[in-house]
Amino acid sequence: MFNDHLARGARGRVRAAFATAAAAGLAVAAALTFTNNAQAADTLGASAAESGRYFGAAVVPNHLGESGYVDTLNAEFNSIVAENVMKWDATEPNRGQFNFSGGDQLVAHAQANGMEVRGHTLVWHAQQPGWVQGLTGDDLRQAMLDHIAGVAGHYAGDISSWDVVNEAFEWDGSRRQSNLQQQLGDGWIEEAFWAADQADPNAKLCYNDYGTDAINAKSTAIYDMVADFLARGVPIDCVGFQSHLSTGADLSTYQANLQRFADLGVDVEITELDVGGSGSAQAEVYRTVTEACMAVDRCTGITVWGITDKYSWRSDETPLLFDGDYQKKEAYSAVLAALN
Ligand code: G2I
């Protein structure tokens, strides 16, 4: 089932359309199975797979030696993304010298356990190695293109979808004034997508951002960019909605926002879900997000940004599905119910 996501041959929109057709077929098959067995799957990954979707987690290789961590990962998830080790600072600490050790470890673990791998992230204003930060003009452009070729090329065939560009817009819908934007101009995003397409023609290519959990100025600017890319044949297949949320989040247009991107002709993915809070309030936000993904045919899966609260980047907000002792939280039950 996971391999269907990887089996896309052609590039650009043809690739995405094929994936959708495969997922739709799986959904019908899964529905029949479900009816016959009258029994829901009892893990996140297996439940998501019944509708042709994945359920993933951001993973840190250093924790794989901890039994609670790795046992929870292997039991519950069928997709992995690197929380940090595939970023530019980790993979190319010196110009032209690549370090794939952490990422390779994650890919090996995923493949040994039948999981997909999402790629995060090829180009981002943050977590750039020091040598990148001083570059200007065409020197920076060449460094970006070489980085994409090196990393996406190394992992070609192993990645279901790449976050090619991460967080390039401001809240008001303007471009973020990063070194990339200031040195390379508006064209840098599509240049990155063309380079990723060349390096790995089979991975789906995503734009990924936060604060896009509603129909708002930021998500609309991204929507306009995707529409423009599709109209001009720039290879983009998917949009990632990070969904770093809290219990107060206004999710009244969350599903409609996913749907408008799907209607444009790209897949949508929930890429970094976590919800600050606890108990039923937290569980309800998780339920709403999961139900929204399930209601949108082209929502291909959900990734939570970590496994256990104790290692979360916002651990003081206990935002994940498992507590510090790897016990399932109320939010876990809400997600499982929504997937089924
Ligand atoms: O900030 C939350 C996420 C927002 N979207 C993009 C994601 O890539 C981002 O993830 C976070 C990781 O969860 C953190 O773990 O990105 C941070 C910055 O890259 C990560 O934090 C960094 C620390 O800032 C570094 O000091 C540390 O060396 O993690 C690094 C590795 O542990």
Side-chain angles (χ1 to χ4, degrees), residues 58 60 82-85 87 89 120-121 124 126-127 163 166-167 208-210 242 244 272 274 305 311-314:
V60 174
E83 183 165 351
N84 288 304
V85 296
K87 292 172 181 175
D89 60 342
H120 175 84
T121 175
W124 188 22
Q127 298 294 106
D163 294 334
N166 194 43
E167 302 176 3
N208 189 53
D209 216 327
Y210 63 88
Q242 293 185 10
H244 293 295
E272 304 184 14
D274 56 13
W305 203 241
Y311 296 142
S312 166
W313 71 295
R314 49 196 296 215

Side-chain angles (χ1 to χ4, degrees), residues 220-272:
T220 297
I222 296 164
Y223 178 90
D224 291 343
M225 178 187 74
V226 173
D228 172 54
F229 279 12
L230 293 172
R232 292 189 294 112
V234 177
I236 186 167
D237 303 296
C238 40
V239 175
F241 298 80
Q242 293 185 10
S243 305
H244 293 295
L245 298 169
S246 299
T247 48
D250 175 9
L251 299 180
S252 55
T253 57
Y254 190 91
Q255 183 180 322
N257 191 45
L258 298 183
Q259 188 66 57
R260 70 171 174 157
F261 280 86
D263 291 344
L264 269 183
V266 287
D267 288 344
V268 295
E269 307 187 38
I270 314 305
T271 50
E272 304 184 14

Side-chain angles (χ1 to χ4, degrees), residues 295-327:
V296 174
D297 281 348
R298 294 195 73 150
C299 184
T300 56
I302 298 173
T303 299
V304 285
W305 203 241
I307 297 172
T308 163
D309 284 339
K310 71 176 169 177
Y311 296 142
S312 166
W313 71 295
R314 49 196 296 215
S315 61
D316 52 327
E317 298 177 85
T318 61
L320 293 171
L321 299 177
F322 296 87
D323 71 16
D325 298 318
Y326 300 98
Q327 296 303 300

Side-chain angles (χ1 to χ4, degrees), residues 82-309:
E83 183 165 351
N84 288 304
V85 296
M86 289 193 189
K87 292 172 181 175
W88 200 338
D89 60 342
T91 52
E92 197 181 0
N94 300 296
R95 191 166 191 170
Q97 292 178 358
F98 291 91
N99 179 352
F100 297 120
S101 56
D104 286 357
Q105 194 183 337
L106 291 186
V107 169
H109 186 90
Q111 291 178 348
N113 291 281
M115 302 171 181
E116 290 187 14
V117 184
R118 297 199 75 254
H120 175 84
T121 175
L122 293 171
V123 194
W124 188 22
H125 68 275
Q127 298 294 106
Q128 294 179 356
W131 65 266
V132 171
Q133 294 166 29
L135 300 182
T136 56
D138 282 341
D139 200 18
L140 177 61
R141 172 174 286 105
Q142 196 58 50
M144 176 184 85
L145 298 175
D146 290 346
H147 178 72
I148 294 168
V151 176
H154 176 79
Y155 289 112
D158 294 331
I159 303 293
S160 54
S161 55
W162 262 114
D163 294 334
V164 177
V165 170
N166 194 43
E167 302 176 3
F169 284 85
E170 298 284 0
W171 289 101
D172 66 1
S174 63
R175 288 289 188 89
R176 182 190 290 272
Q177 289 304 307
S178 65
N179 60 334
L180 298 155
Q181 181 68 29
Q182 291 184 337
Q183 294 296 323
L184 308 183
D186 278 345
W188 73 270
I189 298 182
E190 64 194 80
E191 290 175 46
F193 275 85
W194 282 114
D197 186 54
Q198 191 166 17
D200 185 350
N202 292 318
K204 290 194 290 176
L205 306 179
C206 301
Y207 176 82
N208 189 53
D209 216 327
Y210 63 88
T212 51
D213 317 299
I215 295 177
N216 58 28
K218 186 170 182 174
S219 65
T220 297
I222 296 164
Y223 178 90
D224 291 343
M225 178 187 74
V226 173
D228 172 54
F229 279 12
L230 293 172
R232 292 189 294 112
V234 177
I236 186 167
D237 303 296
C238 40
V239 175
F241 298 80
Q242 293 185 10
S243 305
H244 293 295
L245 298 169
S246 299
T247 48
D250 175 9
L251 299 180
S252 55
T253 57
Y254 190 91
Q255 183 180 322
N257 191 45
L258 298 183
Q259 188 66 57
R260 70 171 174 157
F261 280 86
D263 291 344
L264 269 183
V266 287
D267 288 344
V268 295
E269 307 187 38
I270 314 305
T271 50
E272 304 184 14
L273 179 60
D274 56 13
V275 182
S278 62
S280 338
Q282 180 181 53
E284 282 314 307
V285 175
Y286 267 105
R287 184 195 309 279
T288 301
V289 170
T290 307
E291 286 178 349
C293 181
M294 295 297 284
V296 174
D297 281 348
R298 294 195 73 150
C299 184
T300 56
I302 298 173
T303 299
V304 285
W305 203 241
I307 297 172
T308 163
D309 284 339

